[in-house]
Amino acid sequence: MNVLGIETSCDETAAAVVAEGRKILSNVVWSQVATHHPYGGVVPELASRQHIEKIVPVVQEALSRAGTTVEDLEAVAVTRGPGLVGALLVGLSFAKAFAYAENLPLIGVNHLEGHVAAVYLEPTPPPFPFVALLASGGHTNLEYVVDHRHMVHLGGTRDDAAGEAFDKVAKLLGLGYPGGTVIDKMSRRGNPDHVRFPRIMLDKTGFDFSFSGLKTAVVRYVHKQQAAGTLRVADTVSAFQEAVVDVLVAKAIAAARAKQCEHLAVVGGVASNTRLRTRLIEEGTRAGIQIHIPRPALCTDNAAMIAAMGYWRASQARGVPLELDAFSKVCRWKHPKAPEELKSCGS
Ligand code: KG4
Ligand code: ZN
């Protein structure tokens, strides 16, 4: 089964064709980074407008690179949330029109489940059950993944997401957007022990995270050093990154241990962080836990992961009605009053 995936939840316009939920036939991502860079973050209105301009050429490119025609497709999977509603609606409206015109089933995909599905696209996916750490610009979650369609939420951030903290610290220091990639690179020539920032929630049991206190500690430190003329940017970002990595690694390994899982998947944009990848593999080896991290292009937003997740939803139900709506934060289809047919299209 070939599934066309469409992803427009934030600042990437993406389309992909995936066969049997496993094999990537094409994976096209149009990044809007250049548009948002001057603002130090994503401007929602600009994101929606760029999605409108790019969605048709990006889908055409995905079909052409896959060597498939519309006749070779069996379903259209699209991200319906969480994300920026205006941005989501562009992908969703396109997917509805495309599915209607081509008489294909429409599958709504939860963006977070999509991130986890990125590991199914790698040569050796983790066996079920496994624990997944999802660290992105909007979320920092620990999930117990029972099978392709079911996961149990173990914990999440109480305030800022890990990626958001990277972006805010980069903005504070005028390093540009997205902050994660810049800080990752700059930290390689910094000293992670230059200053010790707080490891919030590390001393607490449970699997919740909190990164806003760390961000505030960095802001205070930077202002103080700037006033004294002693700010060392590479050392500061390296020490900040180390604090984030310490917490993510410790909580993720603890969650895998608590659930007696020998396999830990790490997904989402922050999973492309080189220091995090190195530390996870070191600590995982020590704890007897195998770490599964998708290649960087599958960690950040892409449509191959949406098509992969769509495959598992499509094999469960023949599409959802064209009334399918976008959602920004909560999983509305889980609401007791949600129509039955929508409840089957994600969790
Ligand atoms: O998964 P993603 O592409 O989009 C969301 O669903 O949010 O994640 C984007 C986030 C941004 O906050 C970005 O700064 C962060 O992932 N990120 C990184 C790295 N690459 C992207 N954070 C740390 N290190 C990186 N190398
Ligand atoms: Zn994402």
Side-chain angles (χ1 to χ4, degrees):
M1 177 191 254
N2 289 338
V3 177
L4 170 68
I6 293 172
E7 154 65 40
T8 63
S9 68
C10 192
D11 60 341
E12 262 97 23
T13 315
V17 181
V18 171
E20 313 308 326
R22 286 278 300 135
K23 188 164 182 255
I24 301 175
L25 302 183
S26 67
N27 188 17
V28 179
V29 179
W30 168 264
S31 169
Q32 303 180 359
V33 161
T35 303
H36 302 291
H37 190 272
Y39 305 96
V42 178
V43 183
E45 180 61 24
L46 293 181
S48 309
R49 285 167 192 245
Q50 285 247 308
H51 286 312
I52 290 170
E53 279 175 26
K54 294 294 173 195
I55 188 74
V56 172
V58 164
V59 170
Q60 280 172 334
E61 182 68 20
L63 291 175
S64 137
R65 280 195 208 170
T68 46
T69 62
V70 173
E71 286 72 45
D72 301 319
L73 298 175
E74 280 163 79
V76 182
V78 60
T79 307
R80 58 177 304 218
L84 302 169
V85 159
L88 286 163
L89 283 172
V90 178
L92 193 61
S93 308
F94 178 90
K96 284 179 183 180
F98 190 89
Y100 178 70
E102 303 299 340
N103 195 25
L104 290 167
L106 174 73
I107 314 291
V109 172
N110 180 313
H111 184 76
L112 308 184
E113 288 188 337
H115 270 300
V116 173
V119 286
Y120 310 140
L121 294 166
E122 290 298 357
T124 331
F128 296 113
F130 61 89
V131 165
L133 167 66
L134 161 59
S136 68
H139 297 86
T140 309
N141 289 3
L142 277 163
E143 308 284 340
Y144 178 64
V145 185
V146 181
D147 59 31
H148 290 108
R149 299 187 192 94
H150 300 96
M151 36 190 215
V152 179
H153 186 66
L154 300 176
T157 185
R158 296 189 181 177
D159 38 59
D160 291 355
E164 192 179 352
F166 272 98
D167 294 336
K168 285 179 175 169
V169 167
K171 191 172 179 178
L172 167 78
L173 292 162
L175 301 177
Y177 174 85
T181 33
V182 190
I183 290 181
D184 187 350
K185 250 189 222 145
M186 193 176 260
S187 295
R188 288 174 213 163
R189 52 187 169 82
N191 172 12
D193 302 320
H194 174 65
V195 47
R196 187 170 171 87
F197 290 120
R199 272 70 170 154
I200 295 165
M201 309 291 285
L202 201 55
D203 54 339
K204 303 245 178 346
T205 51
F207 302 116
D208 281 351
F209 298 92
S210 163
F211 292 104
S212 89
L214 167 61
K215 175 196 66 194
T216 309
V218 176
V219 170
R220 281 212 197 100
Y221 176 81
V222 166
H223 288 162
K224 212 166 136 194
Q225 299 301 313
Q226 274 171 337
T230 52
L231 180 65
R232 287 159 60 172
V233 177
D235 290 339
T236 306
V237 295
S238 181
F240 155 76
Q241 177 179 270
E242 203 63 11
V244 177
V245 168
D246 270 355
V247 177
L248 292 178
V249 170
K251 290 269 173 193
I253 299 270
R257 276 210 173 111
K259 301 306 288 180
Q260 296 174 334
C261 286
E262 284 168 14
H263 295 266
L264 171 66
V266 186
V267 297
V270 180
S272 47
N273 184 274
T274 36
R275 182 73 182 142
L276 177 65
R277 294 169 89 98
T278 309
R279 286 279 312 281
L280 276 164
I281 290 163
E282 280 169 12
E283 302 293 325
T285 309
R286 215 165 286 156
I289 293 166
Q290 201 177 324
I291 310 293
H292 301 258
I293 313 177
R295 69 200 95 152
L298 294 178
C299 288
T300 45
D301 286 349
N302 66 87
M305 67 185 198
I306 301 303
M309 192 58 220
Y311 169 83
W312 294 103
R313 292 281 168 223
S315 46
Q316 175 188 32
R318 214 204 113 73
V320 292
L322 293 175
E323 285 81 21
L324 188 72
D325 203 1
F327 65 90
S328 61
K329 280 201 172 107
V330 287
C331 302
R332 284 222 310 254
W333 62 65
K334 273 205 162 168
H335 192 276
K337 286 188 185 158
E340 274 313 308
E341 62 273 24
L342 292 188
K343 286 184 186 163
S344 66
C345 83
S347 59

Short mmCIF file of all heavy atoms in Angstrom, two decimals, residues 18-63:
data_model
loop_
_atom_site.label_atom_id
_atom_site.label_comp_id
_atom_site.label_asym_id
_atom_site.label_seq_id
_atom_site.Cartn_x
_atom_site.Cartn_y
_atom_site.Cartn_z
N VAL A 18 5.24 6.68 0.94
CA VAL A 18 5.83 5.57 1.70
C VAL A 18 5.06 4.29 1.36
O VAL A 18 3.83 4.29 1.34
CB VAL A 18 5.80 5.86 3.22
CG1 VAL A 18 6.20 4.64 4.03
CG2 VAL A 18 6.74 7.02 3.55
N ALA A 19 5.80 3.21 1.09
CA ALA A 19 5.17 1.92 0.77
C ALA A 19 5.12 1.05 2.02
O ALA A 19 6.12 0.93 2.74
CB ALA A 19 5.97 1.22 -0.33
N GLU A 20 4.00 0.45 2.29
CA GLU A 20 3.78 -0.50 3.39
C GLU A 20 4.21 0.04 4.76
O GLU A 20 4.62 -0.72 5.63
CB GLU A 20 4.52 -1.84 3.13
CG GLU A 20 4.35 -2.43 1.75
CD GLU A 20 2.89 -2.55 1.32
OE1 GLU A 20 2.03 -2.80 2.17
OE2 GLU A 20 2.61 -2.34 0.13
N GLY A 21 4.18 1.34 4.92
CA GLY A 21 4.54 1.95 6.20
C GLY A 21 6.01 1.79 6.55
O GLY A 21 6.42 2.09 7.67
N ARG A 22 6.84 1.36 5.59
CA ARG A 22 8.24 1.02 5.87
C ARG A 22 9.23 1.65 4.90
O ARG A 22 10.30 2.08 5.29
CB ARG A 22 8.45 -0.51 5.74
CG ARG A 22 7.90 -1.36 6.82
CD ARG A 22 8.80 -1.46 8.04
NE ARG A 22 10.12 -2.01 7.81
CZ ARG A 22 11.24 -1.50 8.29
NH1 ARG A 22 11.20 -0.40 9.01
NH2 ARG A 22 12.42 -2.06 8.05
N LYS A 23 8.85 1.67 3.62
CA LYS A 23 9.84 2.02 2.59
C LYS A 23 9.56 3.41 2.05
O LYS A 23 8.49 3.67 1.50
CB LYS A 23 9.75 0.96 1.46
CG LYS A 23 10.83 1.09 0.45
CD LYS A 23 10.96 -0.16 -0.42
CE LYS A 23 12.11 0.02 -1.39
NZ LYS A 23 11.71 0.30 -2.73
N ILE A 24 10.56 4.29 2.21
CA ILE A 24 10.39 5.67 1.72
C ILE A 24 10.66 5.71 0.22
O ILE A 24 11.77 5.42 -0.23
CB ILE A 24 11.37 6.62 2.44
CG1 ILE A 24 11.15 6.58 3.96
CG2 ILE A 24 11.22 8.05 1.93
CD1 ILE A 24 12.15 7.39 4.77
N LEU A 25 9.62 6.07 -0.56
CA LEU A 25 9.79 6.21 -2.01
C LEU A 25 10.19 7.64 -2.35
O LEU A 25 10.90 7.88 -3.32
CB LEU A 25 8.52 5.81 -2.75
CG LEU A 25 8.01 4.37 -2.49
CD1 LEU A 25 6.78 4.06 -3.33
CD2 LEU A 25 9.10 3.34 -2.75
N SER A 26 9.73 8.59 -1.54
CA SER A 26 10.18 9.98 -1.68
C SER A 26 9.90 10.70 -0.37
O SER A 26 9.03 10.29 0.39
CB SER A 26 9.46 10.67 -2.84
OG SER A 26 8.09 10.82 -2.53
N ASN A 27 10.66 11.76 -0.13
CA ASN A 27 10.48 12.53 1.13
C ASN A 27 10.93 13.96 0.86
O ASN A 27 12.12 14.26 0.92
CB ASN A 27 11.33 11.88 2.23
CG ASN A 27 11.05 12.49 3.59
OD1 ASN A 27 10.03 13.16 3.79
ND2 ASN A 27 11.95 12.28 4.54
N VAL A 28 9.98 14.82 0.53
CA VAL A 28 10.31 16.19 0.13
C VAL A 28 9.93 17.16 1.24
O VAL A 28 8.81 17.12 1.75
CB VAL A 28 9.55 16.57 -1.18
CG1 VAL A 28 9.86 18.00 -1.60
CG2 VAL A 28 9.91 15.59 -2.30
N VAL A 29 10.89 17.99 1.63
CA VAL A 29 10.64 18.98 2.70
C VAL A 29 11.04 20.36 2.19
O VAL A 29 12.19 20.55 1.77
CB VAL A 29 11.44 18.66 3.98
CG1 VAL A 29 11.17 19.71 5.06
CG2 VAL A 29 11.12 17.27 4.50
N TRP A 30 10.09 21.29 2.17
CA TRP A 30 10.41 22.68 1.85
C TRP A 30 10.49 23.42 3.18
O TRP A 30 9.50 23.59 3.87
CB TRP A 30 9.34 23.30 0.94
CG TRP A 30 9.53 24.79 0.84
CD1 TRP A 30 8.88 25.74 1.57
CD2 TRP A 30 10.46 25.49 0.01
NE1 TRP A 30 9.35 26.98 1.25
CE2 TRP A 30 10.32 26.86 0.30
CE3 TRP A 30 11.40 25.09 -0.95
CZ2 TRP A 30 11.08 27.84 -0.33
CZ3 TRP A 30 12.16 26.07 -1.58
CH2 TRP A 30 12.00 27.42 -1.28
N SER A 31 11.71 23.82 3.56
CA SER A 31 11.87 24.49 4.85
C SER A 31 11.65 26.00 4.72
O SER A 31 12.14 26.62 3.78
CB SER A 31 13.27 24.21 5.39
OG SER A 31 13.49 25.06 6.49
N GLN A 32 10.94 26.56 5.69
CA GLN A 32 10.69 28.01 5.69
C GLN A 32 11.68 28.76 6.58
O GLN A 32 11.44 29.92 6.91
CB GLN A 32 9.28 28.29 6.19
CG GLN A 32 8.18 27.61 5.43
CD GLN A 32 6.80 27.94 6.01
OE1 GLN A 32 6.68 28.65 7.00
NE2 GLN A 32 5.77 27.41 5.40
N VAL A 33 12.76 28.09 6.97
CA VAL A 33 13.70 28.70 7.92
C VAL A 33 14.12 30.10 7.49
O VAL A 33 14.13 31.04 8.30
CB VAL A 33 14.93 27.78 8.12
CG1 VAL A 33 16.09 28.54 8.72
CG2 VAL A 33 14.57 26.63 9.05
N ALA A 34 14.42 30.29 6.21
CA ALA A 34 14.90 31.59 5.74
C ALA A 34 13.85 32.68 5.97
O ALA A 34 14.20 33.83 6.29
CB ALA A 34 15.25 31.50 4.26
N THR A 35 12.57 32.31 5.87
CA THR A 35 11.50 33.29 6.06
C THR A 35 11.42 33.73 7.52
O THR A 35 11.24 34.90 7.84
CB THR A 35 10.14 32.65 5.67
OG1 THR A 35 10.25 32.21 4.34
CG2 THR A 35 8.98 33.61 5.83
N HIS A 36 11.54 32.76 8.44
CA HIS A 36 11.33 33.06 9.86
C HIS A 36 12.60 33.52 10.57
O HIS A 36 12.53 34.08 11.66
CB HIS A 36 10.73 31.84 10.56
CG HIS A 36 9.44 31.39 9.94
ND1 HIS A 36 8.28 32.12 10.03
CD2 HIS A 36 9.13 30.30 9.19
CE1 HIS A 36 7.31 31.50 9.37
NE2 HIS A 36 7.81 30.39 8.85
N HIS A 37 13.74 33.23 9.97
CA HIS A 37 15.04 33.53 10.60
C HIS A 37 15.14 34.96 11.13
O HIS A 37 15.53 35.17 12.29
CB HIS A 37 16.16 33.22 9.59
CG HIS A 37 17.52 33.25 10.19
ND1 HIS A 37 18.26 34.42 10.27
CD2 HIS A 37 18.27 32.29 10.77
CE1 HIS A 37 19.41 34.15 10.86
NE2 HIS A 37 19.44 32.87 11.17
N PRO A 38 14.76 35.97 10.33
CA PRO A 38 14.92 37.35 10.85
C PRO A 38 14.10 37.63 12.10
O PRO A 38 14.43 38.56 12.85
CB PRO A 38 14.41 38.22 9.69
CG PRO A 38 14.37 37.35 8.49
CD PRO A 38 14.22 35.94 8.97
N TYR A 39 13.05 36.85 12.34
CA TYR A 39 12.16 37.11 13.50
C TYR A 39 12.57 36.29 14.73
O TYR A 39 11.97 36.43 15.79
CB TYR A 39 10.71 36.80 13.13
CG TYR A 39 10.25 37.56 11.90
CD1 TYR A 39 10.30 36.97 10.65
CD2 TYR A 39 9.82 38.88 12.00
CE1 TYR A 39 9.91 37.67 9.51
CE2 TYR A 39 9.43 39.59 10.87
CZ TYR A 39 9.48 38.97 9.63
OH TYR A 39 9.10 39.66 8.51
N GLY A 40 13.53 35.40 14.59
CA GLY A 40 13.98 34.58 15.73
C GLY A 40 12.94 33.55 16.16
O GLY A 40 13.01 33.01 17.26
N GLY A 41 11.98 33.26 15.32
CA GLY A 41 10.96 32.25 15.64
C GLY A 41 9.94 32.20 14.51
O GLY A 41 9.99 33.02 13.59
N VAL A 42 9.01 31.24 14.60
CA VAL A 42 8.03 31.07 13.52
C VAL A 42 6.92 32.13 13.63
O VAL A 42 6.33 32.29 14.69
CB VAL A 42 7.42 29.65 13.57
CG1 VAL A 42 6.36 29.48 12.49
CG2 VAL A 42 8.51 28.60 13.42
N VAL A 43 6.65 32.83 12.54
CA VAL A 43 5.54 33.79 12.49
C VAL A 43 4.36 33.05 11.84
O VAL A 43 4.40 32.74 10.64
CB VAL A 43 5.92 35.04 11.66
CG1 VAL A 43 4.79 36.06 11.67
CG2 VAL A 43 7.22 35.65 12.18
N PRO A 44 3.31 32.73 12.63
CA PRO A 44 2.25 31.85 12.12
C PRO A 44 1.63 32.29 10.80
O PRO A 44 1.43 31.48 9.90
CB PRO A 44 1.22 31.85 13.25
CG PRO A 44 2.03 32.14 14.48
CD PRO A 44 3.11 33.08 14.04
N GLU A 45 1.35 33.58 10.65
CA GLU A 45 0.70 34.05 9.42
C GLU A 45 1.60 33.82 8.19
O GLU A 45 1.14 33.40 7.13
CB GLU A 45 0.35 35.54 9.58
CG GLU A 45 -0.34 36.18 8.40
CD GLU A 45 -1.69 35.54 8.04
OE1 GLU A 45 -2.32 34.93 8.91
OE2 GLU A 45 -2.09 35.65 6.86
N LEU A 46 2.89 34.09 8.38
CA LEU A 46 3.82 33.87 7.26
C LEU A 46 3.92 32.38 6.93
O LEU A 46 4.03 31.99 5.77
CB LEU A 46 5.22 34.41 7.61
CG LEU A 46 5.35 35.92 7.76
CD1 LEU A 46 6.79 36.31 8.08
CD2 LEU A 46 4.91 36.63 6.47
N ALA A 47 3.87 31.54 7.97
CA ALA A 47 3.95 30.09 7.76
C ALA A 47 2.78 29.63 6.89
O ALA A 47 2.97 28.93 5.90
CB ALA A 47 3.95 29.37 9.10
N SER A 48 1.55 30.07 7.24
CA SER A 48 0.37 29.66 6.47
C SER A 48 0.50 30.09 5.01
O SER A 48 0.22 29.32 4.09
CB SER A 48 -0.91 30.29 7.03
OG SER A 48 -0.99 30.06 8.40
N ARG A 49 0.92 31.33 4.80
CA ARG A 49 1.03 31.84 3.42
C ARG A 49 2.04 31.04 2.60
O ARG A 49 1.82 30.74 1.44
CB ARG A 49 1.44 33.32 3.43
CG ARG A 49 0.28 34.21 3.83
CD ARG A 49 0.76 35.60 4.15
NE ARG A 49 -0.30 36.35 4.77
CZ ARG A 49 -0.88 37.41 4.24
NH1 ARG A 49 -0.48 37.87 3.08
NH2 ARG A 49 -1.86 38.03 4.86
N GLN A 50 3.17 30.69 3.24
CA GLN A 50 4.19 29.91 2.52
C GLN A 50 3.69 28.50 2.21
O GLN A 50 3.97 27.97 1.14
CB GLN A 50 5.46 29.82 3.36
CG GLN A 50 6.24 31.11 3.38
CD GLN A 50 7.57 30.95 2.66
OE1 GLN A 50 8.33 30.04 2.97
NE2 GLN A 50 7.84 31.80 1.72
N HIS A 51 2.94 27.91 3.15
CA HIS A 51 2.37 26.57 2.88
C HIS A 51 1.47 26.63 1.65
O HIS A 51 1.51 25.74 0.79
CB HIS A 51 1.57 26.08 4.08
CG HIS A 51 2.40 25.64 5.23
ND1 HIS A 51 3.48 24.79 5.10
CD2 HIS A 51 2.31 25.92 6.57
CE1 HIS A 51 4.02 24.58 6.30
NE2 HIS A 51 3.34 25.25 7.20
N ILE A 52 0.65 27.70 1.56
CA ILE A 52 -0.27 27.83 0.41
C ILE A 52 0.53 27.88 -0.90
O ILE A 52 0.19 27.23 -1.88
CB ILE A 52 -1.16 29.09 0.56
CG1 ILE A 52 -2.16 28.87 1.70
CG2 ILE A 52 -1.89 29.42 -0.74
CD1 ILE A 52 -2.93 30.11 2.12
N GLU A 53 1.63 28.63 -0.89
CA GLU A 53 2.44 28.74 -2.11
C GLU A 53 3.12 27.43 -2.48
O GLU A 53 3.30 27.13 -3.64
CB GLU A 53 3.54 29.80 -1.91
CG GLU A 53 3.03 31.21 -2.10
CD GLU A 53 4.12 32.23 -1.76
OE1 GLU A 53 5.32 31.90 -1.86
OE2 GLU A 53 3.76 33.35 -1.37
N LYS A 54 3.53 26.66 -1.47
CA LYS A 54 4.41 25.52 -1.73
C LYS A 54 3.72 24.16 -1.78
O LYS A 54 4.31 23.20 -2.28
CB LYS A 54 5.53 25.46 -0.67
CG LYS A 54 6.48 26.62 -0.74
CD LYS A 54 7.28 26.62 -2.04
CE LYS A 54 8.11 27.88 -2.17
NZ LYS A 54 8.63 28.09 -3.52
N ILE A 55 2.51 24.05 -1.24
CA ILE A 55 1.94 22.71 -1.08
C ILE A 55 1.80 21.96 -2.41
O ILE A 55 2.16 20.78 -2.50
CB ILE A 55 0.59 22.75 -0.28
CG1 ILE A 55 0.11 21.34 0.04
CG2 ILE A 55 -0.49 23.54 -0.97
CD1 ILE A 55 0.85 20.65 1.10
N VAL A 56 1.34 22.64 -3.48
CA VAL A 56 1.15 21.94 -4.76
C VAL A 56 2.50 21.50 -5.35
O VAL A 56 2.68 20.31 -5.64
CB VAL A 56 0.30 22.78 -5.74
CG1 VAL A 56 0.27 22.13 -7.12
CG2 VAL A 56 -1.11 22.95 -5.18
N PRO A 57 3.48 22.41 -5.51
CA PRO A 57 4.76 21.94 -6.05
C PRO A 57 5.44 20.87 -5.20
O PRO A 57 6.08 19.96 -5.74
CB PRO A 57 5.63 23.20 -6.14
CG PRO A 57 4.87 24.29 -5.49
CD PRO A 57 3.45 23.89 -5.40
N VAL A 58 5.29 20.95 -3.87
CA VAL A 58 5.94 19.95 -3.01
C VAL A 58 5.30 18.57 -3.20
O VAL A 58 6.01 17.56 -3.31
CB VAL A 58 5.91 20.40 -1.52
CG1 VAL A 58 6.20 19.25 -0.57
CG2 VAL A 58 6.92 21.53 -1.28
N VAL A 59 3.98 18.52 -3.31
CA VAL A 59 3.31 17.23 -3.55
C VAL A 59 3.70 16.69 -4.93
O VAL A 59 4.00 15.50 -5.09
CB VAL A 59 1.77 17.35 -3.40
CG1 VAL A 59 1.07 16.08 -3.87
CG2 VAL A 59 1.40 17.66 -1.94
N GLN A 60 3.71 17.58 -5.92
CA GLN A 60 4.10 17.13 -7.28
C GLN A 60 5.50 16.55 -7.28
O GLN A 60 5.76 15.51 -7.88
CB GLN A 60 4.04 18.33 -8.25
CG GLN A 60 2.62 18.61 -8.72
CD GLN A 60 2.54 19.91 -9.51
OE1 GLN A 60 3.35 20.83 -9.34
NE2 GLN A 60 1.52 20.00 -10.37
N GLU A 61 6.40 17.22 -6.56
CA GLU A 61 7.79 16.76 -6.48
C GLU A 61 7.86 15.39 -5.79
O GLU A 61 8.62 14.50 -6.21
CB GLU A 61 8.62 17.81 -5.72
CG GLU A 61 10.09 17.53 -5.59
CD GLU A 61 10.87 17.60 -6.90
OE1 GLU A 61 10.38 18.21 -7.86
OE2 GLU A 61 11.96 17.00 -6.94
N ALA A 62 7.06 15.22 -4.74
CA ALA A 62 7.07 13.94 -4.00
C ALA A 62 6.60 12.80 -4.91
O ALA A 62 7.18 11.71 -4.91
CB ALA A 62 6.20 14.04 -2.75
N LEU A 63 5.55 13.04 -5.70
CA LEU A 63 5.05 12.00 -6.60
C LEU A 63 6.08 11.71 -7.68
O LEU A 63 6.34 10.55 -8.01
CB LEU A 63 3.72 12.44 -7.23
CG LEU A 63 2.53 12.53 -6.27
CD1 LEU A 63 1.30 13.08 -6.98
CD2 LEU A 63 2.20 11.16 -5.69
#
